[in-house]
Amino acid sequence: MMAGHAGLNKRRNLEKNWEDFIYSDKLDLNKLNSDIVSSWQRCKKAEVNPLGGKCDHIYGRDRLEQICESNKMLLEVATPVIESVYHTVQGSGFMVVLVNNEGIILKTMGDYQTLNSAERLNFGQGAVWTEESVGTNAIGTSLTSGIPIQITGAEHFCSHHHVWTCSAAPICGPEGHVLGCLDMSGPYDKMHPHTLGMIVAAAQAIESQLRRELSKSELELALKKLTTAVDTVTDGIMYINGDGIITDANIPACNLLGLSYGRLKGMRFNHVLGGDIVSGCFTAGASANGEDFIISAPLGRLVCSVKTITHSNGTIGGAVAVIRIQKNGVRGPGGHCTGGEMKAAGPSTDTGSGNGPVRPSGGVSSGTASRQAAPFNGIIGCSQPVRAAINLARRAAACSSTVLLLGESGSGKEVFAMSIHMASDRRQGPFIPVNCASLPSGLIQSELFGYSGGSFTGAKRDGQRGKFELAHGGTLFLDEIGDMPLEMQANLLRVLQEKAVMRVGGSKIIPVDVRVIAATNKDLLREMQQGRFREDLFYRINVLCIEIPPVRDRGAGDLQLLTQHLLVSIAARLGRPVCKIDSAAMKMLAEYHWPGNVRELANVLEQVLIITDDDVIRVEHLPRYLQKPARDSQGLAGQVPCEPEESGRGNPVSTLEQIEKQAIREALQRFDGNISRTARALGIGRNTLYDKLKKYDLKD
Ligand SMILES: Nc1ncnc2c1ncn2[C@@H]1O[C@H](COP(=O)(O)OP(=O)(O)OP(=O)(O)O)[C@@H](O)[C@H]1O
């Protein structure tokens, strides 16, 4: 506080300097602070009236409300600081003021008398307290110069302010830009240099609180992004705390495990999965992290992987588990199948087995009947032809002979091939599928047998292994073998006989231990007769032949089982609740002849689940081409569930062809002639569709 003679002298000197500058433009730079000199010069240039000081630039209530709204966070954070600062000076004639970065007063708090004096200057909410508006003052000058400043008495440019002392400090945001300014103003004779120190500390407190708030809202935003992502994915995701309790889960996780969120949350993860995955990960640490496990759930087999979350000090804080439906087995990066099996505790699942997780490296003891049965559990169907095919497949799994799978497109040949592999003693080895129809004829040789370094333009320097080498110790699935070019058939035969390959451009014989499963939807006997398939190769691959029945030959019971299975698994994949199908819609499915087999059925159900939110599928939800079956359609309706359907097959070929032609025509119309979408909807490949368009002369 300024007192006595010295104080009076200082005041007089300040007033003298001010008068010299205002009336004679004289400046004694030794006696004046350079920031004040610059400010005075700015004010003179801006033609601010030095004999005034009453603010006439004030925002009305509505605009002020908007301004406060856009400075909401600053106000919220600064208010408790203002209150605490005012509390310490209360009764001493001071007021505390908060302005935004444009110098507009957002808030004032002070002693009654001081607020009254301030009001006479319009020094209150909504006033624009800048240098241009009211001359040199702590608020305006601090905002202009970006530094904390104290302005006392005649240091103010306007004479009406000469009885005031003001201290202000800018408030900066986390990125350094000025958000506003905090000021403390009071009577001139209460001037104390410490006041500025107090205001600087208060502004800093506001700044650090703002930083905390911003990082909190950034954290909230990051959390929201994460939650949105977790809710959008189709995989099931669960969070597990350090005690192995599930603390959160997304909808697909609940659907896949067949448990409501309320039940799942709070359950012990090991109880849900019926094994001890988590403690394995917690104790084995990184070694168990991220590995895939196979578990059995009500929906079928699921792949589960658990990854631990570690604190910065290295201790384990919990884990994230990801589960998804096992699609054709679990393939490692090199296309390897992995996985033993354990059971999840869904409502309809036997939890009493006590099976723990079986890691790929641990393996499943070979030869145990129950374990060998598991791979075939994914093949849905109990009709006689399906049971017969499964029985043959079981036998195939027990030996290492070449297998030939015959069946229409989409009937499940790959599912069978994978199941045979998984049930065989090669299950620890890779399962390598190759679609012979989709390989360009120029590349098929190198794809199958590999090539040595630099053998052709664009080849990798060190060469590349072919599918036979990749399948070493495992199974090679040659799909659509009927489409393999004749010259390749000779090479394939040689490899099968010699059990060794030679890479394209190479000279080394590489022995390979590969079990071949071939598949086709073509009539190989006819292909042979017409010279398109080698007889010797046919007999070489046709050691054990398994016919996969088309869906229309499986009976209504199988169709119902497949429909229910697919509805649950597709719903889980789409992340939507499972829905039922009413009997009329089921009857309509049974009346259709399913040329695209299970794949077509899956596509139809997926389309329905995408377009409807209803929890029951009715006739009107089904595609139109199903709603108008041809009169003499050989559908499945009326067939006895799960019974062999031996009678009544007759010779339906021409009728089915008519129906097929009609289905293709309608699908083409529906998708405006788009081949890819039409093929997808019909559950057949594009090439097959092109063949059929040619066959039925539907090209235009
Ligand atoms: N019996 C089944 N139970 C459950 N899903 C099945 C069954 N059969 C087939 N599927 C499913 O139907 C789809 C088509 O099966 P898959 O690819 O094995 O048929 P494919 O006969 O090999 O077809 P393509 O001849 O076109 O290669 C896959 O999504 C598969 O999972």
Side-chain angles (χ1 to χ4, degrees):
M1 202 179 296
M2 240 183 337
H5 193 62
L8 207 61
N9 262 349
K10 185 172 179 196
R11 186 171 184 166
R12 279 202 194 120
N13 282 339
L14 277 177
E15 275 164 3
K16 169 93 179 48
N17 287 333
W18 180 81
E19 280 166 12
D20 284 350
F21 178 73
I22 298 297
Y23 298 117
S24 325
D25 250 343
K26 278 200 290 183
L27 276 172
D28 185 347
L29 296 175
N30 293 326
K31 291 184 186 156
L32 279 165
N33 173 329
S34 61
D35 292 317
I36 307 240
V37 169
S38 311
S39 171
W40 281 2
Q41 285 167 334
R42 286 194 294 271
C43 294
K44 215 168 205 183
K45 206 168 160 199
E47 296 180 348
V48 178
N49 176 10
L51 302 177
K54 184 170 175 177
C55 180
D56 55 10
H57 188 173
I58 305 158
Y59 285 104
R61 221 181 49 198
D62 289 351
R63 178 74 186 111
L64 183 63
E65 261 175 28
Q66 291 170 353
I67 294 167
C68 287
E69 183 56 34
S70 52
N71 288 276
K72 200 169 163 210
M73 188 183 276
L74 176 65
L75 265 164
E76 274 174 13
V77 168
T79 298
V81 180
I82 292 173
E83 282 167 357
S84 116
V85 169
Y86 173 62
H87 189 69
T88 54
V89 296
Q90 200 171 4
S92 61
F94 275 94
M95 63 188 279
V96 188
V97 182
L98 176 74
V99 301
N100 74 355
N101 58 355
E102 293 170 295
I104 301 165
I105 298 177
L106 303 175
K107 190 176 184 76
T108 59
M109 189 174 278
D111 290 346
Y112 178 72
Q113 266 193 332
T114 317
L115 290 176
N116 259 350
S117 315
E119 209 176 294
R120 287 196 287 277
L121 295 171
N122 285 339
F123 185 32
Q125 246 196 334
V128 182
W129 216 256
T130 55
E131 284 185 340
E132 300 84 61
S133 173
V134 288
T136 305
N137 72 89
I139 293 172
T141 306
S142 170
L143 280 177
T144 307
S145 58
I147 53 165
I149 198 159
Q150 187 170 59
I151 300 203
T152 301
E155 284 173 338
H156 286 96
F157 186 78
C158 296
S159 57
H160 283 49
H161 302 161
H162 287 187
V163 291
W164 289 82
T165 176
C166 311
S167 307
I171 300 166
C172 294
E175 275 136 31
H177 50 274
V178 176
L179 300 175
C181 172
L182 189 69
D183 164 86
M184 183 136 85
S185 297
Y188 173 89
D189 58 343
K190 300 278 171 59
M191 193 281 274
H192 197 293
H194 287 174
T195 318
L196 183 60
M198 188 197 291
I199 281 302
V200 169
Q204 283 171 353
I206 296 172
E207 285 175 352
S208 38
Q209 187 58 27
L210 275 172
R211 272 196 296 275
R212 273 195 292 275
E213 289 296 320
L214 282 172
S215 48
K216 203 171 101 192
S217 71
E218 271 165 20
L219 206 68
E220 275 166 10
L221 188 69
L223 208 66
K224 271 200 188 125
K225 282 187 202 159
L226 189 70
T227 327
T228 313
V230 165
D231 285 344
T232 319
V233 294
T234 51
D235 286 353
I237 297 176
M238 289 176 277
Y239 295 103
I240 306 142
N241 70 13
D243 299 324
I245 307 287
I246 296 170
T247 55
D248 205 357
N250 65 355
I251 297 168
C254 303
N255 286 345
L256 287 167
L257 293 167
L259 293 166
S260 68
Y261 179 76
R263 269 199 73 195
L264 191 57
K265 192 176 170 193
M267 276 179 92
R268 205 159 264 291
F269 184 68
N270 289 341
H271 285 172
V272 175
L273 298 192
D276 199 10
I277 291 181
V278 172
S279 60
C281 289
F282 285 179
T283 52
S287 65
N289 252 346
E291 268 186 55
D292 284 345
F293 300 90
I294 311 295
I295 58 172
S296 287
L299 284 186
R301 290 193 302 171
L302 305 177
V303 183
C304 170
S305 76
V306 181
K307 221 163 177 23
T308 48
I309 305 166
T310 39
H311 292 297
S312 48
N313 65 5
T315 57
I316 290 174
V320 179
V322 179
I323 49 173
R324 62 183 180 278
I325 295 213
Q326 186 196 18
K327 196 169 173 277
N328 295 339
V330 193
R331 286 180 200 162
H336 289 63
C337 285
T338 57
E341 187 153 359
M342 54 183 291
K343 277 192 181 264
S348 57
T349 313
D350 168 22
T351 52
S353 67
N355 280 347
V358 183
R359 296 207 181 103
S361 51
V364 183
S365 58
S366 58
T368 51
S370 59
R371 291 282 165 88
Q372 291 235 346
F376 295 101
N377 290 349
I379 301 176
I380 308 299
C382 64
S383 62
Q384 190 277 333
V386 171
R387 284 202 308 260
I390 292 177
N391 280 340
L392 268 177
R394 268 191 232 285
R395 286 175 192 276
C399 66
S400 61
S401 308
T402 307
V403 178
L404 179 60
L405 300 172
L406 299 177
E408 291 181 8
S409 178
S411 57
K413 296 185 292 294
E414 183 160 350
V415 173
F416 267 83
M418 169 61 88
S419 303
I420 294 171
H421 168 79
M422 288 301 280
S424 75
D425 54 11
R426 289 173 174 265
R427 65 185 157 279
Q428 304 292 343
F431 175 85
I432 305 287
V434 183
N435 188 319
C436 303
S438 69
L439 287 177
S441 55
L443 285 183
I444 191 162
Q445 179 102 351
S446 55
E447 278 290 313
L448 282 181
F449 309 132
Y451 58 79
S452 60
S455 49
F456 53 85
T457 325
K460 288 186 187 167
R461 220 183 47 180
D462 300 330
Q464 185 158 296
R465 293 192 296 163
K467 303 289 184 195
F468 265 95
E469 281 182 72
L470 289 173
H472 183 68
T475 304
L476 181 67
F477 175 51
L478 295 175
D479 198 6
E480 308 211 28
I481 197 163
D483 294 270
M484 184 178 269
L486 262 179
E487 63 279 12
M488 260 317 287
Q489 293 175 19
N491 295 340
L492 174 63
L493 181 66
R494 197 169 44 248
V495 173
L496 292 179
Q497 278 164 349
E498 292 169 9
K499 297 189 189 324
V501 290
M502 192 192 288
R503 291 185 184 179
V504 174
S507 52
K508 217 167 83 185
I509 306 268
I510 306 167
V512 282
D513 166 26
V514 171
R515 197 258 176 95
V516 169
I517 301 180
T520 184
N521 56 13
K522 288 205 161 150
D523 178 350
L524 286 187
L525 284 174
R526 202 170 68 183
E527 294 297 298
M528 259 167 29
Q529 278 159 13
Q530 296 188 350
R532 285 194 294 262
F533 202 84
R534 287 181 70 110
E535 205 177 331
D536 44 9
L537 180 62
F538 174 76
Y539 291 114
R540 182 68 190 75
I541 58 173
N542 189 19
V543 180
L544 224 162
C545 179
I546 304 176
E547 272 187 67
I548 319 294
V551 166
R552 66 183 158 277
D553 286 351
R554 297 187 192 182
D558 267 15
L559 187 75
Q560 195 158 352
L561 285 178
L562 276 167
T563 304
Q564 276 159 358
H565 166 83
L566 291 168
L567 279 178
V568 178
S569 59
I570 295 168
R573 184 156 49 77
L574 297 178
R576 57 156 286 163
V578 179
C579 68
K580 297 196 176 90
I581 180 160
D582 75 6
S583 53
M586 195 60 232
K587 185 165 172 275
M588 182 159 286
L589 294 185
E591 276 166 358
Y592 184 63
H593 66 294
W594 300 109
N597 291 293
V598 188
R599 186 182 291 117
E600 185 185 7
L601 176 64
N603 286 343
V604 165
L605 296 174
E606 181 162 348
Q607 277 176 37
V608 173
L609 290 190
I610 288 170
I611 58 167
T612 177
D613 289 330
D614 294 358
D615 51 7
V616 177
I617 297 176
R618 285 182 292 276
V619 167
E620 62 266 29
H621 295 128
L622 298 175
R624 262 195 30 235
Y625 68 91
L626 294 184
Q627 292 178 32
K628 286 194 301 176
R631 261 192 200 184
D632 42 1
S633 156
Q634 294 291 305
L636 311 174
Q639 293 183 13
V640 182
C642 295
E643 285 305 319
E645 185 52 40
E646 297 297 346
S647 61
R649 282 188 201 171
N651 181 17
V653 176
S654 62
T655 310
L656 286 176
E657 285 188 340
Q658 279 169 6
I659 298 165
E660 183 169 74
K661 185 174 175 182
Q662 178 63 14
I664 294 172
R665 192 184 284 132
E666 283 191 25
L668 273 172
Q669 259 172 12
R670 190 165 167 200
F671 296 107
D672 292 329
N674 182 312
I675 295 294
S676 304
R677 294 180 67 197
T678 305
R680 214 175 306 132
L682 290 170
I684 55 179
R686 290 175 71 235
N687 287 343
T688 314
L689 179 59
Y690 278 123
D691 285 349
K692 291 188 190 288
L693 292 180
K694 207 160 132 196
K695 176 175 165 191
Y696 296 128
D697 203 19
L698 285 172
K699 273 181 287 178
D700 301 320

